[in-house]
Amino acid sequence: MTEIEITKASEVKVREIEWLWYPYIPFGKITVVQGDAGDGKSTFVLNLAAMLSQGQPMPFTDGTGQPPINIIYQSSEDDADDTIVPRFISAGGDPERLLFISEKERYLSFSDERLIQAVRQTGARLVVLDPLSAYIGEGAGTGEAQAVQAAG
């Protein structure tokens, strides 16, 4: 029988959650924006990204912003040149802060080392995978919890 590692709650070092947008989007966690096709999910996220790229305060907050941040935005449904960048600029975003990982040679997946490398290289504080289901990886669907955990 394989020995399992057990941790007591008393051994866990408790830490506070750091928020990108309190209480909606924490840093370092996966946040899903869900809705039907055509509901404006991508437009909503691009508007938030535009605000974050300028250091503007988020809606429903005390009115103080944070320093501007870099955003990595990957979309399997919309092209950067005719949809993503125009919407982002229209929302007032700083185009120097909206970044894309090239998928010319190979498509990106959630577990792709290029994501971590790009975050480290650019200091991006937000990564958008639109839609998430397109980036889960080969052989894994979002309804298959174990496969999704293995892909992450």
Side-chain angles (χ1 to χ4, degrees):
M1 183 155 91
T2 305
E3 188 174 327
I4 60 171
E5 183 178 331
I6 304 290
T7 303
K8 297 177 187 174
S10 61
E11 299 170 329
V12 174
K13 182 180 177 187
V14 177
R15 63 182 173 88
E16 291 209 22
I17 294 174
E18 186 181 354
W19 293 94
L20 174 68
W21 179 22
Y22 180 84
Y24 306 104
I25 304 174
F27 281 117
K29 312 280 184 192
I30 296 173
T31 302
V32 176
V33 176
Q34 183 178 343
D36 291 332
D39 277 352
K41 299 174 298 296
S42 297
T43 301
F44 168 73
V45 171
L46 281 167
N47 276 280
L48 288 179
M51 294 173 75
L52 291 164
S53 77
Q54 295 286 357
Q56 296 176 359
M58 294 286 90
F60 315 114
T61 63
D62 64 6
T64 59
Q66 329 179 18
I69 65 168
N70 290 338
I71 299 105
I72 294 172
Y73 196 103
Q74 299 298 127
S75 177
S76 67
E77 295 178 346
D78 296 314
D79 292 327
D81 58 355
D82 65 7
T83 305
I84 296 167
V85 172
R87 285 183 184 175
F88 181 76
I89 291 171
S90 177
D94 178 353
E96 290 294 315
R97 295 194 171 276
L98 187 65
L99 314 166
F100 305 93
I101 300 169
S102 174
E103 296 186 72
K104 289 178 187 171
E105 297 292 319
R106 154 176 119 226
Y107 289 114
L108 197 64
S109 71
F110 187 71
S111 60
D112 196 316
E113 183 65 30
R114 292 178 294 168
L115 277 174
I116 294 168
Q117 182 181 350
V119 168
R120 288 183 179 144
Q121 182 178 325
T122 65
R125 299 291 312 237
L126 176 63
V127 176
V128 177
L129 303 175
D130 182 15
L132 179 61
S133 59
Y135 294 93
I136 294 297
E138 291 184 33
T142 55
E144 301 165 348
Q146 290 177 335
V148 171
Q149 287 175 338

